[in-house]
Amino acid sequence: MSQITGEAYQRRLERLAAHPAMANDNVTLPKGSWTGAARALIGLGVAGLLMTVAGAFVYNAKHAVASYSVGVLCVTAISLGALFWTMVFHQTNAGWHATIRRQLENIMMNLPLCVGLIAVMLIVELASGGLLFSWMRPEYADSPLLTAKRSWLNEPFLVVRFFIYAGVWTLLATKLYRFSVDQDRTGDRFLNNRARFTSAWGLLAFALTTGFFAFDFIMAMDFRFFSTMWGVYYFASGPFSCMAVLLIVTGMLRLRGRLTGVVGNEHVHDMAKLLFGMNVFWAYIAFGQYFLIWYGNIPEETAWVVYRKQGGWENLAAVLAIGHFLIPFLILLLRPVKRHPALAAAAGAWLLLMLVMDMFWLVRPMVYTPASGLKSPGPGAMWVDLAAIVGVGCLWAGVLARRIASGPLIPLKDPRLPEALDHRNYV
Amino acid sequence: MAFADYFPLPQKWIPRGLRSKPCRHFMPDGSPMYGVVAEYDTAASVYHAAEKVRDAGFKAWDMHSPFPMHGVEDAMGFERTKLPLMVGVVALSGAAAGYLMQWWITAVDFPVTVQGKPPGAWEPFIPITFEVGVLSSAFAALFGMLAMNGLPRFHHPLFKSERFLASSDDKFFIAIEAHDEKFNPEGVRRLLESTGASRVDLVGAE
């Protein structure tokens, strides 16, 4: 790149701007579009969250917090997946991704929202003295399994760690987003180099913060349980679910007559391949973790699994094995499905449902444990879960829709755009 | 070339349907003909020539270039390969066979309790099922690809032509084989000359 003079590069940008696919009404939504939908989604989200609060009074606060956590963990996984892909594509200098990157960045920029939602979760736990985070409760203070972990599981350090996770994610997301938006304006091609440099240390910081976030906010709900694979297990939910959202978003934009010749079926094919591959990765990690616990047969670990293989939860585990892995695996193996925008988006939507099931299976059994002394109100109380998950999801989607409509749908002056516009899979 | 030509076996060992077809065209000296080969100087000219050969309806022909050319599969009118289907079938049946093998050995034929685990538990079977699936799909992909390409082979009639060696240097070639339904030496020569070939030669099969 560096041997291209500024003048020659300006001419190249002019040629790019004259490309028929780069016409203004193809790469931007009309002013004011999607505002109604975004407002409706945010309203629905707030209503869902209010219903969750009502559920806390009808049943108990622990149930409501657990339902809310399921929703928050899902949308955080998706947003983290977008941050992951943005950095991976910058780091590998991937040419084909240039036309889909702005949507990835839009999803990624929901991370500050996710941080806020997590902060609410943390404040509730701290104020209530540990509804789900049982290690905060005084009755377990003398448990030898907890005293050994006290240097990690204590409130001040948890708050410090939360600020580290929140800071790293927000910093990375806003930094990368700003590079991309600045490039729209200035056309400075060296912003890609800076984004690439940021991604290099960013991926390392991302891996550590995501892993330890999963330790603190999911695994620590049962302080006796431990799995060194846990960070990867939670991370594995991100990349495929983000690709699912990306397929749905680009599909909707194409239905609106946008992105013609910009995001074609070749891009859909690649996104669906990543959806397929990262879903298999999830299955690999999920089985690998379960398998070692099964073989090792250590009571602290097996208790966690055994509890999720009884009392009806074994049905959900079967749904995950079949619905999250087996059926999508066989369907997404087929090339025509991966190259069909609607079918690929439908597979993505199904996998988003399975993401919710997965998080539900992890978090929700913690509510009515025998030790909690709470009596399960039965399936009638599921409306709280539905309200919380749909509420958080709609809030997240509404904020995303507003951001998508507010700017160009692709990075307008990325030097890799010509390559991405001509992208083809030669297989 | 027929499938059987790739294997140095006596014809009577080969199933009737796969045997070599008798040669219909002969060189001026009376020896069997492999086909007609045309030489091109640029990638663009051979690309457009391939489109014309494709549109003329030939099936048994190939193109040779010193480097990979993007989009040439469309110019040559390639159909999608059946290899993925073969790999899929072999992989799934291989994985199923791997699972059944372990299940039969450890749960039916010779159950031994190890670490107090139930003999028919599915968990320990999964890694080996996966590995057998991967191994059989890799074999199916490699050997299926080799068989469908007629590989390995030790010699090819085109290598007899000194000029053809330039296909790994700076020249491009199209070779139409004599066993193609539409093949006749004069018509093929006229077609290839009309596509801008710098030279057209007959090639013997032996």
Side-chain angles (χ1 to χ4, degrees), chain A residues 12 15-23 26-27 95-100 259-267 410-412 414-424:
Chain A
R12 183 184 274 209
R15 271 207 308 281
L16 177 65
H19 194 288
M22 297 293 286
N26 194 27
V27 295
W96 71 275
H97 90 290
T99 52
I100 58 165
L259 303 180
T260 312
V262 176
V263 177
N265 288 357
E266 300 288 341
H267 296 84
I410 60 169
L412 296 173
D414 192 296
R416 294 169 291 205
L417 265 179
E419 188 183 344
L421 288 170
D422 287 339
H423 176 53
R424 271 197 61 190

Side-chain angles (χ1 to χ4, degrees), chain A residues 244 247-248 251 254 265 268 272 275 328 331-332 334-351:
Chain A
L247 278 164
I248 294 168
R254 286 173 75 184
N265 288 357
V268 170
L275 175 74
I331 288 177
L332 282 170
L334 303 172
R335 190 171 186 267
V337 174
K338 281 182 291 210
R339 291 180 69 84
H340 194 288
L343 290 178
W350 172 259
L351 284 176

